[in-house]
Amino acid sequence: MQVHASEAQIDHVVAQIRAAGLKEHVSRGSELVIIGAIGDENKLDLAHFEILPGVERVNRVTKQYKIVSRDSHPAGSVVKVRGIAIGGPQIQVIAGPCSVETQEQMDLAADAVAAAGCRLMRGGAFKPRTSPYAFQGLGVTGLEYFQSAARRHKLPVVTELMDIRMLDTFMEYDVDVIQIGARNMQNFDLLKEVGRVNKPIILKRGLSATISEWLMAAEYIAAGGNHNIIFCERGIRTFETAYRNVLDVTAIPVLKRETHLPVIVDPSHAGGKAWMVPALAQAAIAAGADGLLVEMHPNPCDAWCDADQALTPDELKTLMVTLGAIANAIGRSI
């Protein structure tokens, strides 16, 4: 719609879409209103819609993922987390331990995250583990430890939601960013539920998911009304055994072409070893990622899970300096 389109003009377009037997999806930005027609687009006459009052242009979107497609929103979207922009010129590094262990550990971790210059903090209170005998997280107690530590430095918290039944608890504890893990990328009931809340969602790529499947998973969230979605590439499973997962750097420019939503990368889960993390993180930023999800532990040797891939506080500081140089070289900042 045109910038100054009236509500009556918007309603008229919606009525025309419904009259053709399709459903509408209205996306309201700060300046523009985009109306998506969902259904058999062959029933619509584009020329007819182009002459309707208030219409600026009409595009036929043939992709199944209509809301998250760049075709429906040519400009890149920025997701705000307590005023911190993800997707703009400033690259965000979200750092913290794999799992919440103790209050002391989280306090030290928050100190290190803030000292390194990171603006958001990660940590797992609920942990999906391959083995049922491995540490599964502290649950609600972990959320309490996390919030207590992060709030001292005014760091927004990023943590993983595994179960629909815990969504109300996440809202109660005011989790700033809800992470959907790789193993839940196609948990459609979970995606529908987080689509109904007003919280940014980090959607990790499934271990063997195609780009199209990943985009369609995001569409589930967007279709529920929540467009604050951040894609996270975390490595895919292949035949290779020399490292934990293969970081698909190619996915970054492909997603940037296909979707208007921000794209971040988790180099820690991709490589699985701390010594790989800096190189993978640098490659991700150079390829155009909007941010990173990095594991850092105050004392990796004592970590309760994924100790091999956690950076030390000093290593995180050093990495931030290197990333700053790369960001400046491509016209961005850390």
Side-chain angles (χ1 to χ4, degrees), residues 316-328:
L316 179 62
K317 274 187 179 180
T318 301
L319 176 60
M320 290 293 286
V321 174
T322 307
L323 295 177
I326 296 173
N328 289 335

Side-chain angles (χ1 to χ4, degrees), residues 63-90:
K63 299 181 177 70
Q64 286 184 297
Y65 41 92
K66 301 181 187 302
I67 303 172
V68 306
S69 170
R70 189 172 284 277
D71 292 344
S72 67
H73 194 294
S77 292
V78 174
V79 175
K80 293 286 187 73
V81 183
R82 281 209 272 135
I84 299 169
I86 300 177
Q90 188 177 65

Side-chain angles (χ1 to χ4, degrees), residues 123-163:
F126 300 85
K127 297 299 300 178
R129 305 303 301 280
T130 303
S131 169
Y133 307 112
F135 175 58
Q136 307 289 318
L138 296 178
V140 173
T141 300
L143 290 179
E144 294 173 351
Y145 291 166
F146 195 178
Q147 287 286 23
S148 176
R151 290 297 183 249
R152 292 189 300 109
H153 296 282
K154 298 181 179 180
L155 293 167
V157 302
V158 179
T159 194
E160 182 171 350
L161 175 68
M162 295 172 54
D163 191 327

Side-chain angles (χ1 to χ4, degrees), residues 1-15 26 28 33 35 53-54:
M1 301 299 291
Q2 295 170 355
V3 173
H4 301 296
S6 67
E7 287 299 319
Q9 290 170 337
I10 294 170
D11 290 342
H12 182 57
V13 172
V14 168
V26 181
R28 298 177 182 273
V33 173
I35 304 174

